[in-house]
Amino acid sequence: MGRTDYLDKLNDKQREAAMNTEGPLLILAGAGSGKTSTMTCRIAYLIREMGVHPYNILAVTFTNKAAKEMRERVQDLIGEGVNMWLLTFHSACLRILRHHAELLNYGRDFAVYDPTDQKAVVKAICKDLGIDTKKFSPNYFLGEISHCKEQRISPKNYCREYGFDYKAEMIQQVYEKYDETLRKNNAMDFDDLLLKTVELFEKDEEVLLRYQNRFRYIMVDEYQDTNLIQYTFVKMLADAHDEYGNPRRNICVVGDDDQCIYQWRGADIRNILEFEKDFPGATVVKLEQNYRSTANILAAAHSVIEHNRDRKNKKLWTDAEDGNKITYFRADDEREEAGYIASEINRIGGDYRNFAILYRTNAQSRTFEEALSKREIPYRVLGGLRYYDRKEIKDIMCYMRLVQNRADDLALVRIINEPKRGIGGKTIEKLQDRAAERGQSLFDVLLDKDTISQLSSKAEAGIKALAGIIESYGAEKDNMKLSDLYDGLLVNSGYLKALEDQNTIEAQSRIENLMEFKSVIYDYEKEDPNMGLAEFMERIALLADVDNHDSDENAVVLMTLHSAKGLEFPYVFMPGMEDGLFPGWRAFDRPDGLEEERRLCYVGITRAKERLWMTSAEMRTIYGRMDYTRESTFLHELDSRLIEGHGIYEKMPKQTAGAFNDGASAEKPFKPFDQLKYAQQQTKKKAAAMEQAAKENFQPGDRVLHEKFGEGTVLEAQGKVIRVQFADDTKKLALGFANIKKL
């Protein structure tokens, strides 16, 4: 390749950015605008044409994959090994700290604790402090500590920042002990790598000056995703002066404020929006030519994102043809929505890998998995597991399997310590050995008082509680609706509360999936109100078995919109375009919430290269509750000239593009019903109602209402058991498990 042949492959704006080497530079790189090519060509230009030594260049990004790709591309352009720091933020900071850790009173051989190590430290601290980890999980504390480090809030200042109530004081105490433990162990966590590097620069001016003089050219990828501590790190390095005392500020940041979708995990959009304020005189180059999508797709994306107030003024364009309009389909319910998408994939045909279904929450994947499996369309779930493979679903199904068949040792081993009951691996091995000796099931051993009494008091209590739950629900399973049994197990096992106490994004996603499993149960109850647990488990087992086919590269991709960033597909489906689902209900509680959701919608639209479908359902059963829905705020914002209604069931959608303009305001959007919160409340309420029934004083002759069997008359009442005459049969019911109330 000639000296500047690589520049000839760039468009005018890309070339302008690549050849702009001195002073602060902001490259606003829209989706599909060739930012990686521009960045690598800029590095090559610095080295080949400007004579800059690779030693004097620092380029940082967020992932090892991105860093590796850039390093390989640069090497292809300059034709030799790349002796420069082209690293992730954490890798760059780790290199610096390895040389100077003693200045912060660490040994240079300090350990870097991963999440497992961190959790072990916090668990030990909680034990020493007498904190119940069932109420406050280690993950909860680690989330708070990570946030504090990102915001530079020290352990001793936690309460000053958040108040001096009981909870804050407890968090501060754990945070302080955590910090002390890591120091004592000569260890840092991933957040420390950034934080301690900034502290090093602040503490020792000579060290800062050394790296400022070394890194005369700084480049930062995905700048819109940087948090406060990352911003501070690069700004300190960039605030350098030349030998004449003039500010050098050779910093180039690349990003797109319209694709800032990670504020929930610390990203601060102000970093990119206020770049010119931080670096006066900065040059701004906009990469607006898109090489991915058709003109109509780009116009649709812009018609949505332009409603955001906090954004840079730019608009993607393309030399490509207009292409197809956006197809919109309004289904009757989520099953018709999934069926429509699967049928469209079949209709178009070709390689399945060309199709992607991008949804807002993981819980949505279930109906699409079932619809695709039914039509024998191969699929794979990226960024997550298939619905029935998810840990929380397998766990709760094992509880139900045990209720149906308590000899199921495999199911028991899975959930014996889920949630935590103080039953470790060695204890389980002892119990399994005892079962093998006696030729019994593992559950039978749990019922043996002599065996259980030899365990620790915590393990003994946990086993007794678990065995009691399985025995009681096993005895009553034929008298209970499936949904009642499910709610009771979820609450009384402590599984739901354990997740709620974790208070993490991951735990919240698991709760969403568990609440969505109620939709599965309600679907079967509607089909057959008298369906028993055994038949239900058989149906699910068969479905899950079909669902677990081997991954095939030529498969439809299912993934969340967050996971799709950076990817592209010829054909994209965006289902669930309804207020409360997308945008999610939480977005309406924060001033900037709707803007971030709108950016996520923009990201989803710009993943499509040739065709884009958006769908919604007039009625949706989610988290076990069926509701009428309102079409998404974002559908109302789309330019109606870019959308066409389409139906495959010999009917048009309920509402086509022309019907969107119904006076809805993006500034005052509809406040959706919080379905997830409602589902959790109803689950707990139902379990509490069954417990309350045990306290009722039932007498012969009392009229009662049972959720499954209807109205009846009490014939006999003995302790916690009543015998009731219903219209078709006489039933014995255990109070505390039967969903029954006195009329």
Side-chain angles (χ1 to χ4, degrees), residues 263-436:
Q263 285 184 280
W264 51 274
R265 68 183 189 196
D268 191 340
I269 195 171
R270 292 175 299 178
N271 294 344
I272 193 168
L273 293 178
E274 298 178 3
F275 182 81
E276 296 105 309
K277 180 180 177 182
D278 292 329
F279 297 96
T283 299
V284 179
V285 179
K286 299 177 183 179
L287 305 185
E288 297 172 292
Q289 184 174 0
N290 177 279
Y291 294 94
R292 175 188 298 158
S293 307
T294 63
N296 279 338
I297 289 172
L298 295 181
H302 183 74
S303 69
V304 172
I305 200 63
E306 68 176 345
H307 286 81
N308 271 6
R309 295 178 178 178
D310 291 331
R311 67 181 295 267
K312 299 284 188 179
N313 183 30
K314 57 187 178 301
K315 183 178 182 180
L316 291 176
W317 61 275
T318 181
D319 286 334
E321 297 178 352
D322 288 346
N324 290 285
K325 291 185 176 183
I326 312 308
T327 301
Y328 175 66
F329 180 73
R330 176 80 162 162
D332 283 339
D333 56 29
E334 70 276 5
R335 287 188 175 277
E336 187 182 37
E337 176 187 49
Y340 166 72
I341 289 175
S343 296
E344 281 289 88
I345 292 171
N346 261 343
R347 182 180 66 82
I348 293 170
D351 283 349
Y352 288 121
R353 63 173 64 87
N354 292 331
F355 298 88
I357 303 174
L358 310 180
Y359 37 77
R360 180 61 183 84
T361 68
N362 277 311
Q364 289 173 259
S365 77
R366 176 182 63 86
T367 53
F368 302 111
E369 293 180 55
E370 292 176 359
L372 294 170
S373 293
K374 183 178 180 181
R375 291 163 178 79
E376 297 183 345
I377 298 174
Y379 69 89
R380 54 193 176 120
V381 181
L382 297 187
L385 295 169
R386 289 182 174 87
Y387 182 78
Y388 290 105
D389 285 342
R390 288 168 183 149
K391 178 185 183 303
E392 58 278 9
I393 301 302
K394 283 187 171 292
D395 285 348
I396 199 62
M397 285 176 64
C398 280
Y399 272 102
M400 299 173 81
R401 280 166 52 186
L402 274 174
V403 169
Q404 176 59 31
N405 171 26
R406 67 188 207 180
D408 189 339
D409 285 359
L410 191 65
L412 179 54
V413 169
R414 182 180 181 92
I415 56 89
I416 194 170
N417 204 39
E418 289 286 349
K420 302 301 181 188
R421 298 185 176 93
I423 307 169
K426 290 184 178 180
T427 299
I428 295 173
E429 286 180 12
K430 289 179 182 178
L431 295 172
Q432 288 174 318
D433 290 342
R434 182 61 58 89

Side-chain angles (χ1 to χ4, degrees), residues 375-529:
R375 291 163 178 79
E376 297 183 345
I377 298 174
Y379 69 89
R380 54 193 176 120
V381 181
L382 297 187
L385 295 169
R386 289 182 174 87
Y387 182 78
Y388 290 105
D389 285 342
R390 288 168 183 149
K391 178 185 183 303
E392 58 278 9
I393 301 302
K394 283 187 171 292
D395 285 348
I396 199 62
M397 285 176 64
C398 280
Y399 272 102
M400 299 173 81
R401 280 166 52 186
L402 274 174
V403 169
Q404 176 59 31
N405 171 26
R406 67 188 207 180
D408 189 339
D409 285 359
L410 191 65
L412 179 54
V413 169
R414 182 180 181 92
I415 56 89
I416 194 170
N417 204 39
E418 289 286 349
K420 302 301 181 188
R421 298 185 176 93
I423 307 169
K426 290 184 178 180
T427 299
I428 295 173
E429 286 180 12
K430 289 179 182 178
L431 295 172
Q432 288 174 318
D433 290 342
R434 182 61 58 89
E437 289 170 8
R438 296 179 176 180
Q440 295 178 319
S441 72
L442 186 56
F443 191 86
D444 286 336
V445 173
L446 299 192
L447 299 178
D448 183 70
K449 294 180 180 178
D450 292 336
T451 300
I452 303 306
S453 63
Q454 297 174 24
L455 305 178
S456 69
S457 57
K458 185 175 182 181
E460 180 182 5
I463 285 175
K464 285 181 178 178
L466 173 62
I469 289 169
I470 300 303
E471 272 201 305
S472 300
Y473 281 102
E476 288 297 309
K477 65 180 185 293
D478 294 333
N479 295 332
M480 302 181 72
K481 288 180 64 178
L482 281 171
S483 53
D484 289 346
L485 185 144
Y486 178 77
D487 286 336
L489 282 174
L490 201 54
V491 172
N492 294 322
S493 66
Y495 199 96
L496 178 60
K497 187 175 188 306
L499 287 174
E500 290 174 335
D501 290 341
Q502 286 181 25
N503 196 30
T504 63
I505 297 295
E506 180 185 3
Q508 183 74 7
S509 179
R510 293 188 187 281
I511 291 172
E512 289 176 1
N513 289 328
L514 287 169
M515 293 299 109
E516 178 59 18
F517 195 63
K518 293 178 70 171
S519 298
V520 179
I521 293 171
Y522 283 141
D523 284 345
Y524 281 103
E525 284 186 335
K526 280 190 288 185
E527 179 185 327
D528 179 3

Side-chain angles (χ1 to χ4, degrees), residues 107-126:
R108 289 192 182 186
D109 59 347
F110 64 85
V112 179
Y113 279 4
D114 64 17
T116 301
D117 300 322
Q118 294 175 265
K119 191 172 180 179
V121 170
V122 173
K123 283 177 73 174
I125 291 170
C126 289

Side-chain angles (χ1 to χ4, degrees), residues 60-80:
V60 288
T61 186
F62 278 83
T63 67
N64 288 309
K65 180 181 177 183
K68 181 182 178 183
E69 181 185 357
M70 286 182 61
R71 193 179 299 111
E72 290 173 349
R73 287 207 197 184
V74 171
Q75 189 165 315
D76 288 342
L77 291 176
I78 66 175
E80 59 187 51

Side-chain angles (χ1 to χ4, degrees), residues 569-585:
F569 303 90
Y571 308 117
V572 169
F573 295 88
M574 290 176 61
M577 298 298 296
E578 302 144 23
D579 278 345
L581 189 55
F582 191 36
W585 58 266

Side-chain angles (χ1 to χ4, degrees), residues 507-730:
Q508 183 74 7
S509 179
R510 293 188 187 281
I511 291 172
E512 289 176 1
N513 289 328
L514 287 169
M515 293 299 109
E516 178 59 18
F517 195 63
K518 293 178 70 171
S519 298
V520 179
I521 293 171
Y522 283 141
D523 284 345
Y524 281 103
E525 284 186 335
K526 280 190 288 185
E527 179 185 327
D528 179 3
N530 296 314
M531 181 178 288
L533 178 61
E535 185 180 355
F536 173 74
M537 296 306 294
E538 286 174 8
R539 296 263 196 110
I540 292 297
L542 290 172
L543 176 63
D545 185 56
V546 171
D547 206 30
N548 285 332
H549 56 73
D550 292 333
S551 293
D552 181 357
E553 286 189 3
N554 186 23
V556 177
V557 173
L558 278 66
M559 65 197 311
T560 64
L561 286 154
H562 279 102
S563 300
K565 187 170 179 284
L567 302 178
E568 58 185 49
F569 303 90
Y571 308 117
V572 169
F573 295 88
M574 290 176 61
M577 298 298 296
E578 302 144 23
D579 278 345
L581 189 55
F582 191 36
W585 58 266
R586 294 186 193 88
F588 295 87
D589 292 330
R590 304 191 333 263
D592 61 343
L594 197 60
E595 294 221 344
E596 179 158 3
E597 289 283 286
R598 191 176 284 114
R599 291 193 291 271
L600 189 58
C601 183
Y602 173 83
V603 166
I605 293 172
T606 54
R607 297 313 94 193
K609 297 168 69 175
E610 299 175 25
R611 293 285 308 275
L612 173 67
W613 289 258
M614 289 181 164
T615 63
S616 67
E618 188 168 317
M619 293 182 296
R620 185 176 296 276
T621 302
I622 186 166
Y623 311 136
R625 175 187 168 94
M626 185 182 74
D627 276 311
Y628 285 91
T629 71
R630 180 188 187 277
E631 290 171 313
S632 172
T633 296
F634 304 144
L635 288 174
H636 292 268
E637 294 172 351
L638 276 169
D639 185 341
S640 61
R641 294 169 297 180
L642 302 172
I643 310 174
E644 60 182 4
H646 179 71
I648 61 167
Y649 301 115
E650 297 181 355
K651 65 177 182 180
M652 293 298 288
K654 307 287 186 301
Q655 291 181 307
T656 57
F660 290 159
N661 300 319
D662 62 355
S665 167
E667 296 182 8
K668 293 184 178 180
F670 168 71
K671 174 74 174 180
F673 183 72
D674 184 346
Q675 290 175 304
L676 178 62
K677 188 175 181 181
Y678 176 83
Q680 287 173 254
Q681 290 172 341
Q682 290 300 106
T683 295
K684 294 176 184 176
K685 185 177 179 181
K686 191 184 292 185
M690 289 188 279
E691 289 290 329
Q692 182 62 34
K695 301 175 184 178
E696 287 276 6
N697 182 24
F698 289 95
Q699 298 292 334
D702 285 345
R703 292 289 293 170
V704 295
L705 177 64
H706 188 276
E707 184 142 344
K708 182 175 182 179
F709 305 125
E711 291 189 22
T713 303
V714 176
L715 299 178
E716 185 181 1
Q718 293 184 348
K720 299 296 183 183
V721 178
I722 60 174
R723 190 161 62 92
V724 182
Q725 177 66 58
F726 293 102
D728 299 324
D729 199 2
T730 299

